[in-house]
Amino acid sequence: MDTSVEQPLNKSTPTTPTSHNTGVDPRDANTPDNWVPRHPEMIRLTGIHPFNAEAPLSLLMEQGFITPNSLHYVRNHGPVPKLQWETHRLTVNGLVSKPLILSMDDIENLPYKEFPVTLTCAGNRRKEQNMIKQSKGFNWGAAATSCAIWKGVPINHLLKLAGVVDEKTDKPRYVCFNGSDKLPNGIYGTSIPLEWAMNDANDVILAYGMNGERLPPDHGFPIRAIIPGCIGGRMVKWLSSISVTDKESDSYYHYNDNRVLPPEYDMERATKEKIWYNPDYIINKLNINSAITSPAHNERISLSSFVSTKEYTIKGYAYTGGGQKITRVEVSLDYGKTWLLAKLTQPELEHPVVLKRGIFPIPRFWCWSFWSISVPLYSFIRCEEISVRAWDATHNTQPNTPTWNVLGMMNNCHFRVKVNTINQGKEFLLEFRHPTQPGNIPGGWMIKPEPPKTEKTSSTSDNKDKRTFTTQQVEKHNNEKDCWIIIEKKVYDCTRFLKVHPGGMY
Amino acid sequence: MDTSVEQPLNKSTPTTPTSHNTGVDPRDANTPDNWVPRHPEMIRLTGIHPFNAEAPLSLLMEQGFITPNSLHYVRNHGPVPKLQWETHRLTVNGLVSKPLILSMDDIENLPYKEFPVTLTCAGNRRKEQNMIKQSKGFNWGAAATSCAIWKGVPINHLLKLAGVVDEKTDKPRYVCFNGSDKLPNGIYGTSIPLEWAMNDANDVILAYGMNGERLPPDHGFPIRAIIPGCIGGRMVKWLSSISVTDKESDSYYHYNDNRVLPPEYDMERATKEKIWYNPDYIINKLNINSAITSPAHNERISLSSFVSTKEYTIKGYAYTGGGQKITRVEVSLDYGKTWLLAKLTQPELEHPVVLKRGIFPIPRFWCWSFWSISVPLYSFIRCEEISVRAWDATHNTQPNTPTWNVLGMMNNCHFRVKVNTINQGKEFLLEFRHPTQPGNIPGGWMIKPEPPKTEKTSSTSDNKDKRTFTTQQVEKHNNEKDCWIIIEKKVYDCTRFLKVHPGGMY
C-alpha cells in the first residue's frame, strides 16, 4: 500500500463551483450527442459536431481559479461514448503479472488523490497561427485552458496492484491509454513512459471526479487519465484500458496528432519523410505561456474618464509544464523595450485541497497562475501595444514571435493586445483588440481586412471547370451526401472529405 | 545497497583526453596558486587571480565532445585550497541517524557512477549583457561550458549509508554542500532539495574522478559535487561536508550569487528589498542556450574563393538543463524571418560510458549537443547576420533578445554573428564578427567604438577634488596597499574595495 496516498475516508466532496446551465443544447438535437448536457455560451470551434469548445475568455476568467465543469474547454474527436457507471470496466493488462478488470465501484474504493490541475490543449492560441497561414488544426482562442479539482486513483497504485515490476529494466516501458470512442482512424489512444507514471511525485491519476461531481460526459465519464503538467491530448477520456508495453502506443492519434514539426514541414512532406515518428517532435509537457485577459477584446475606455490618479489593472493568466513554477510575469507597453514586473498569484498553493495534502517534497505546480499590474490610465495614451511574457523556474521565457507549424501547436509567443483610439460621437475612446477571436468569430488585429466584394458568383478551382454558381445554387448542396463550400470565391465539392474532416460530418 | 549503481570492479579508467600543457604558469608565481598547474591558453577573466578562465572558443570546440581537464572552464572565488588525498575527510551529518566521516580511500571503495556531464557557469555569455550595461559580474564569453567524464559516489547511496530518512516528510529538507575555500564572506556553500539528491535518476554524485584522472586542483581536488543539469555554481568544489537540514544553506554565496533578478533591480534596490531571499529568483537548472562557433570571430572568406558549388558548414553547440533533450536547432540568415533546420548530434547517447550504463528509464540529457548546417557560400553575400536558436523537449526556445539583469546571469538570447564585407588589397573578403570576445579582449560587434582620445590627463570623480593626474602618475599606485584605477578618464582610489572585488586582490 502506498502510504503517500490519501485513504477514502468518506464520499463527501469539497465545495467547488459546479455545473450550471447544462441542459441539452438544441443545436445537438441532430447529432449523436443529443443526450449530452452543454453550456450554451461555450463557443463551438468545429461546427456543431463534434463538440470542440472553449468558454468566452472573460467569462472563463470571471470564474477565478477553478473552472466550473460546464465552462471547462472540451476537445472531442467524435461522438461522446454513452457509458454507464454500473457496467463500465477498466482493464489493466500488458507487462503485468496480475491483469485486472475493475468496475467503477472497485476503483472508487481504492485510495485516491484529489487536487487541482490546469488542463490545456496543445492547440491553445492556435488561431493566431492560422492567421499567419492555415494549419491543419481548428481555431482555438486563448481559452483552451481550464482548471478543475480532479479526483482519482493514483496510476502507480493501480499498476502495483496489477503486479508491474517497479524497477529499472534494460528496455524502455510505457503505459498505453485506450479510450472508448470509435473514430475514423480507430480508438483514441496514446502513451507515456512507465517511469513517469510510477513516480508518485508526478501525480498521474485515473480520475472519476471533477469538482466534486462525477465526470461530465464531455470530460470522459466515467473515467479518464489526468497527467499533470502535460498537454490535454495525453489525458485519454472514456478510458477502457491501460496497458504496460515495451513500445509506445500504436494508436493513429499518438503519432499523427500533438506534434510540433519544424516550420518547413507541410502535411505532404511530413508524411513522405515519416517525420510523425521522430520522437523529438512529440509534445508531452506544456511550454511556457501567458495571455492578457483584461483588457478584453473590444473593451473601451473613454478618454474623458482620464484623470491623473486613475489606474487600470491589466490582468491575465500564465502556465507552464512539467510541474515547473511560473516565477515572473512582465508586461510591456513599448514593444518590449522595457518590462514592468506584474504581481503574481498562485492560488494553487493556498487551495485547501493542496494545503491538506502538503506541498513537500519539491513543490510541483500543476495549475495556472494569475497576474495583474496596475498602470496609470495615461500610460495607454502613447501605447500602441500591451504585451506579456512569463518566465519559469529554469529562467526560460516565451519567444517574442510565433513560429508557424503545420499542426498549429504550442503557440506561445508574447501575447499582444493592440490599443487604438477611435471617436464615437463627441467621445474619444481607447479601444483594445486581441490578436484573434476563437473559431469563426470575426475580429482581432491579426485579421487582414477582406478585399471588397464585387460579385455575387463564384467559380470552381479546377481550371478545366469554368462553371459559375450563385450563392443560392451552392447553398442547396448542404447535406452529407452532397456538400459544397465556397472559399475565396471558389466552389469546392467536399463531400468525399467529410469523413476525415476534423470537425466531423456534422 | 542500491542495485542500480555500478560496483567498483577495478580501478582502470576509460581512455579519454587528459591534461596537457599543465605546468605552473609563471603568471601565478606571486599568487597563492603558485603550485596549481594551468594551461597557458586559458583566458583569464578576473586579472591574474583568482583563476576564472575559459578556453578560446575555437580551441574548446576542436576538442570535441569531451573537454580535456586543462581546457575546462574554471570558476574560483579565491585561492585554491591545498588539500591532500590522504588527509582529507568528508563529513556527512545533519538530519541523519549515522553521521559519517570518510577518507578519500573510503569513498573510492564505495559504488560509483561514471558518465559525461556538461558543466556550465550561470554567467556563460555574460559579456554580451555587460555590453548593454555593466553587471556585477565579469566578462564570460561563450566558453563557460565544458564537458568531462565525472566519476563519483552517488549522493543518495552516501546519504542512505548515513541513515537519512528516505521518505516524504512534512517539512522540506535540503542537502547543504560546504567547500574548503576561505573567502571574504565565509566558506563557499549552497544547497539543493533533498528529494532531488535522493532521486537516483538525477545522477547527483560526489566526484573524485575527471576524465580518468583524479580531480585537478582547479576542479575541486580531491572531491566535489556534480549535479547534472544544473548550473556549475551548485557543484561545490573541495567538498568538506554535506549536511541534511530543514532549511537552505546559510552561506553568503547561496543567497548573494547565482540569481536572476528582474531587470529593474540594481544592487542597491535588491539589497534594500531583500530580493536575494526571494526563492523565485534562484538559479538551479540551466536554461536553453546555444552558440555559433564556426564561423569563428574574425574568420574571413575571400570572395574570390566563391564558386557556385562551394558550401560552408556553420557549427555550434546547444544545451539545456534538468535532463531535457535539445530537440531542434535552427539557423537564420535573414534576421529570423526564416529558419533552417540544423543537423543535431548528441554524442552523449553514443558514448561508451553511457551505452554501458544504459539509458533507461526516460533518458536524461546531461551533455551539450552539437549542431551543424551546410549552406552554399553565396548565401552569405546578402546576409548581414547569422543567428541560432535551440528548442528543447518541452517546446520552449530561446528568447530573441537579451534581458539585462544585475548579475548578468543566464543570458540565452539568440546568438548572432555579423557578416561584413571588407577589402584587403585587391581582395574582397567576408569577415565574421561574434558579439563579444571574453574578458578584456577587444573585438565583437557589440563593442561601441571608443570616442577619440583627446587628452592624456584624467580627473577624479569626486566633485570636490579637481586634481588631475598623468597616466604615469596613476600607474605608480599599483599595489594592494595603494591601488588606483582609471575609468573613463576619472581616477579612482580602489584600495579599500580590493578585499571584496570578485577578482580578488591580485
Side-chain angles (χ1 to χ4, degrees):
Chain A
M1 182 70 74
D2 185 339
T3 56
S4 70
V5 163
E6 297 171 33
Q7 299 303 309
L9 299 176
N10 63 60
K11 305 220 172 179
S12 76
T13 46
T15 307
T16 51
T18 54
S19 306
H20 54 77
N21 279 325
T22 51
V24 173
D25 189 309
R27 285 175 286 182
D28 289 316
N30 295 319
T31 79
D33 290 350
N34 58 10
W35 58 280
V36 179
R38 282 169 184 158
H39 195 295
E41 288 202 57
M42 291 294 281
I43 301 164
R44 296 185 185 218
L45 307 170
T46 52
I48 305 240
H49 183 88
F51 189 63
N52 290 293
E54 64 183 271
L57 188 57
S58 296
L59 182 61
L60 178 68
M61 285 298 104
E62 278 166 28
Q63 313 305 313
F65 178 58
I66 299 295
T67 314
N69 293 353
S70 61
L71 291 173
H72 194 291
Y73 85 88
V74 176
R75 172 77 180 99
N76 290 345
H77 287 75
V80 176
K82 207 166 186 173
L83 306 175
Q84 305 300 324
W85 182 273
E86 294 71 22
T87 55
H88 188 70
R89 296 292 178 270
L90 177 75
T91 306
V92 183
N93 59 20
L95 303 172
V96 294
S97 57
K98 295 168 282 183
L100 305 171
I101 298 176
L102 299 168
S103 72
M104 289 308 303
D105 284 344
D106 292 337
I107 292 169
E108 210 179 20
N109 281 309
L110 293 172
Y112 68 87
K113 288 185 182 180
E114 184 169 28
F115 55 102
V117 184
T118 294
L119 268 53
T120 304
C121 183
N124 192 29
R125 298 181 58 194
R126 184 192 284 128
K127 190 166 180 185
E128 295 168 54
Q129 293 244 329
N130 285 345
M131 290 300 98
I132 300 167
K133 189 164 85 177
Q134 181 61 44
S135 75
K136 199 185 164 269
F138 59 83
N139 286 331
W140 283 116
T145 179
S146 311
C147 187
I149 296 173
W150 297 92
K151 176 181 177 179
V153 57
I155 194 171
N156 57 358
H157 180 80
L158 209 55
L159 291 170
K160 282 179 205 166
L161 282 185
V164 74
V165 177
D166 189 15
E167 276 167 29
K168 199 160 86 170
T169 53
D170 61 357
K171 290 188 74 175
R173 286 178 297 167
Y174 302 88
V175 188
C176 296
F177 300 90
N178 298 299
S180 307
D181 38 349
K182 286 161 193 69
L183 301 170
N185 293 294
I187 285 168
Y188 190 88
T190 185
S191 56
I192 61 172
L194 179 66
E195 180 201 350
W196 190 339
M198 295 306 292
N199 184 344
D200 197 62
N202 288 339
D203 287 334
V204 180
I205 60 172
L206 306 185
Y208 48 79
M210 181 181 185
N211 286 334
E213 298 181 342
R214 286 185 175 171
L215 306 187
D218 273 329
H219 294 289
F221 180 86
I223 189 163
R224 72 175 298 177
I226 292 291
I227 308 169
C230 291
I231 56 165
R234 303 275 159 249
M235 307 193 198
V236 176
K237 301 194 283 193
W238 313 296
L239 200 61
S240 66
S241 71
I242 63 171
S243 189
V244 178
T245 59
D246 56 10
K247 57 185 184 200
E248 293 180 56
S249 168
D250 57 7
S251 166
Y252 171 88
Y253 299 94
H254 180 69
Y255 286 104
N256 293 274
D257 199 357
N258 293 315
R259 307 250 158 181
V260 173
L261 306 189
E264 62 263 50
Y265 280 88
D266 59 14
M267 292 301 285
E268 196 182 353
R269 183 173 167 201
T271 302
K272 191 176 161 197
E273 296 185 18
K274 295 197 169 75
I275 199 85
W276 302 108
Y277 297 91
N278 184 328
D280 286 347
Y281 302 139
I282 197 170
I283 312 168
N284 285 313
K285 296 178 190 171
L286 289 163
N287 59 6
I288 309 165
N289 214 338
S290 62
I292 296 167
T293 59
S294 288
H297 181 68
N298 279 346
E299 189 171 324
R300 292 171 176 200
I301 304 175
S302 156
L303 282 186
S304 63
S305 71
F306 275 47
V307 289
S308 62
T309 54
K310 208 161 177 179
E311 291 199 324
Y312 185 92
T313 304
I314 307 168
K315 293 183 197 171
Y317 69 71
Y319 61 76
T320 187
Q324 295 283 354
K325 189 180 187 185
I326 290 290
T327 52
R328 188 169 138 202
V329 174
E330 295 168 320
V331 168
S332 179
L333 304 178
D334 58 5
Y335 292 109
K337 281 189 208 80
T338 58
W339 292 91
L340 307 166
L341 190 63
K343 188 182 150 202
L344 195 57
T345 57
Q346 278 153 331
E348 174 172 15
L349 293 176
E350 312 298 327
H351 198 278
V353 171
V354 171
L355 287 176
K356 188 180 148 216
R357 66 194 287 253
I359 57 164
F360 310 113
I362 306 170
R364 266 66 172 181
F365 291 80
W366 301 138
C367 296
W368 53 13
S369 305
F370 298 114
W371 56 266
S372 64
I373 183 165
S374 293
V375 297
L377 256 188
Y378 64 76
S379 315
F380 291 140
I381 297 175
R382 299 247 168 195
C383 167
E384 295 178 343
E385 180 187 284
I386 311 168
S387 60
V388 65
R389 66 179 184 186
W391 299 75
D392 76 3
T394 60
H395 301 281
N396 284 313
T397 188
Q398 302 173 231
N400 193 318
T401 49
T403 299
W404 186 89
N405 62 92
V406 69
L407 296 186
M409 293 284 187
M410 301 295 268
N411 181 39
N412 73 331
C413 60
H414 299 176
F415 190 94
R416 301 166 195 282
V417 171
K418 300 286 185 186
V419 188
N420 299 316
T421 44
I422 56 170
N423 66 335
Q424 196 175 49
K426 278 193 265 180
E427 277 271 60
F428 270 98
L429 301 163
L430 289 181
E431 185 187 59
F432 300 95
R433 281 199 295 161
H434 280 218
T436 64
Q437 285 292 278
N440 296 320
I441 299 175
W445 61 261
M446 291 188 86
I447 310 282
K448 293 169 198 127
E450 279 187 40
K453 284 175 187 163
T454 52
E455 48 181 326
K456 282 277 183 193
T457 60
S458 308
S459 65
T460 67
S461 66
D462 186 341
N463 283 333
K464 292 171 193 160
D465 188 347
K466 297 285 185 192
R467 286 179 292 166
T468 57
F469 306 92
T470 64
T471 311
Q472 288 72 24
Q473 284 175 311
V474 174
E475 274 173 359
K476 287 176 189 162
H477 304 261
N478 64 350
N479 63 72
E480 62 183 276
K481 288 182 180 155
D482 179 22
C483 178
W484 290 11
I485 56 173
I486 304 173
I487 299 173
E488 289 176 2
K489 293 192 265 172
K490 288 178 180 162
V491 174
Y492 298 85
D493 178 353
C494 61
T495 316
R496 66 194 176 98
F497 299 105
L498 280 184
K499 283 192 181 171
V500 295
H501 186 256
M505 294 208 280
Y506 298 90
Chain B
M1 183 69 74
D2 185 340
T3 56
S4 70
V5 163
E6 295 171 35
Q7 300 302 311
L9 297 176
N10 62 60
K11 304 219 173 182
S12 75
T13 45
T15 307
T16 52
T18 54
S19 306
H20 53 77
N21 279 326
T22 52
V24 173
D25 189 308
R27 284 174 288 182
D28 288 316
N30 294 318
T31 80
D33 290 351
N34 58 11
W35 58 279
V36 180
R38 282 170 182 156
H39 196 296
E41 288 203 58
M42 291 294 280
I43 301 165
R44 296 184 185 219
L45 307 171
T46 52
I48 300 222
H49 183 87
F51 189 64
N52 289 293
E54 64 182 273
L57 189 57
S58 296
L59 182 62
L60 178 69
M61 285 298 104
E62 278 167 27
Q63 313 305 313
F65 178 58
I66 299 295
T67 314
N69 293 353
S70 62
L71 292 173
H72 194 291
Y73 85 88
V74 176
R75 172 78 179 99
N76 290 344
H77 287 75
V80 176
K82 208 166 184 171
L83 306 175
Q84 305 300 325
W85 182 273
E86 293 72 21
T87 55
H88 187 71
R89 296 292 178 270
L90 177 75
T91 305
V92 183
N93 58 21
L95 303 172
V96 294
S97 57
K98 294 169 283 183
L100 304 172
I101 297 176
L102 299 168
S103 72
M104 289 308 302
D105 284 345
D106 292 338
I107 292 169
E108 209 179 22
N109 281 308
L110 293 172
Y112 68 88
K113 288 185 182 180
E114 185 168 28
F115 55 103
V117 185
T118 295
L119 268 53
T120 304
C121 182
N124 192 29
R125 298 181 58 195
R126 185 191 283 126
K127 191 166 179 185
E128 294 167 54
Q129 293 244 330
N130 285 345
M131 290 299 99
I132 300 167
K133 188 164 86 177
Q134 181 63 44
S135 76
K136 199 186 162 268
F138 59 82
N139 286 331
W140 283 117
T145 179
S146 312
C147 188
I149 297 173
W150 298 92
K151 177 181 177 179
V153 56
I155 194 171
N156 57 357
H157 181 80
L158 209 55
L159 291 170
K160 282 179 204 165
L161 281 185
V164 74
V165 177
D166 189 16
E167 274 167 32
K168 198 161 88 168
T169 52
D170 61 357
K171 289 188 75 175
R173 286 178 297 166
Y174 302 89
V175 188
C176 297
F177 300 92
N178 298 299
S180 308
D181 39 348
K182 286 163 192 67
L183 302 171
N185 294 294
I187 284 168
Y188 190 88
T190 186
S191 57
I192 61 172
L194 179 66
E195 181 201 348
W196 190 338
M198 294 307 291
N199 184 344
D200 198 61
N202 288 339
D203 286 335
V204 180
I205 61 170
L206 305 185
Y208 48 79
M210 181 181 185
N211 286 334
E213 298 181 343
R214 285 185 176 172
L215 305 188
D218 273 330
H219 293 289
F221 180 85
I223 189 163
R224 73 174 298 176
I226 292 291
I227 308 169
C230 290
I231 57 165
R234 304 275 159 248
M235 307 194 198
V236 176
K237 301 194 283 192
W238 313 296
L239 200 62
S240 66
S241 71
I242 63 172
S243 188
V244 179
T245 59
D246 56 9
K247 55 184 184 202
E248 293 180 57
S249 169
D250 57 8
S251 167
Y252 171 88
Y253 300 94
H254 180 68
Y255 286 104
N256 292 274
D257 199 358
N258 294 314
R259 307 249 157 182
V260 173
L261 307 189
E264 61 263 49
Y265 281 88
D266 58 14
M267 291 301 286
E268 195 181 354
R269 183 175 167 199
T271 302
K272 191 176 161 198
E273 295 185 18
K274 294 197 168 75
I275 199 85
W276 302 107
Y277 296 91
N278 185 327
D280 286 347
Y281 301 139
I282 196 169
I283 312 168
N284 284 313
K285 296 178 190 171
L286 289 163
N287 59 6
I288 309 165
N289 214 338
S290 62
I292 296 167
T293 58
S294 289
H297 181 68
N298 278 347
E299 189 171 324
R300 291 172 175 198
I301 304 174
S302 157
L303 282 187
S304 63
S305 71
F306 275 46
V307 289
S308 63
T309 53
K310 209 161 176 180
E311 291 199 324
Y312 184 92
T313 304
I314 307 168
K315 292 182 198 172
Y317 70 70
Y319 61 76
T320 189
Q324 295 282 356
K325 190 180 186 184
I326 289 291
T327 51
R328 188 168 138 203
V329 175
E330 295 168 319
V331 169
S332 179
L333 304 178
D334 57 6
Y335 292 109
K337 281 188 210 81
T338 59
W339 292 92
L340 307 166
L341 190 62
K343 189 182 148 201
L344 195 56
T345 57
Q346 278 152 331
E348 173 172 16
L349 292 176
E350 311 297 327
H351 198 277
V353 171
V354 172
L355 287 176
K356 188 181 148 215
R357 67 195 287 254
I359 57 164
F360 309 110
I362 306 170
R364 265 68 170 179
F365 291 81
W366 301 138
C367 297
W368 53 13
S369 305
F370 298 115
W371 55 267
S372 64
I373 183 166
S374 293
V375 297
L377 256 188
Y378 63 77
S379 315
F380 291 139
I381 297 175
R382 300 245 168 196
C383 167
E384 296 177 342
E385 179 186 285
I386 312 168
S387 59
V388 64
R389 67 178 184 185
W391 299 75
D392 76 1
T394 60
H395 302 281
N396 285 314
T397 188
Q398 302 173 230
N400 194 318
T401 49
T403 298
W404 186 90
N405 63 92
V406 68
L407 297 186
M409 294 283 187
M410 302 294 268
N411 182 39
N412 73 332
C413 61
H414 299 177
F415 189 95
R416 301 165 195 282
V417 171
K418 299 287 185 186
V419 188
N420 298 316
T421 45
I422 56 170
N423 66 334
Q424 195 175 49
K426 278 195 267 178
E427 277 272 58
F428 270 97
L429 302 163
L430 289 181
E431 185 186 58
F432 300 94
R433 282 201 295 162
H434 280 219
T436 66
Q437 286 293 277
N440 296 320
I441 299 174
W445 60 261
M446 291 188 85
I447 309 281
K448 292 170 197 125
E450 279 187 38
K453 285 175 188 162
T454 52
E455 47 182 327
K456 281 279 181 193
T457 59
S458 307
S459 64
T460 66
S461 66
D462 186 342
N463 283 332
K464 294 170 192 161
D465 187 346
K466 295 287 185 192
R467 286 178 293 166
T468 57
F469 305 93
T470 64
T471 311
Q472 288 73 25
Q473 283 175 312
V474 174
E475 273 174 0
K476 286 175 190 162
H477 303 261
N478 66 349
N479 63 71
E480 62 184 277
K481 288 180 181 157
D482 178 23
C483 178
W484 290 12
I485 57 172
I486 304 173
I487 298 173
E488 290 176 4
K489 294 193 266 174
K490 288 177 180 163
V491 173
Y492 298 86
D493 178 353
C494 61
T495 316
R496 67 194 176 99
F497 299 106
L498 280 183
K499 282 191 182 171
V500 295
H501 186 257
M505 295 207 281
Y506 299 90

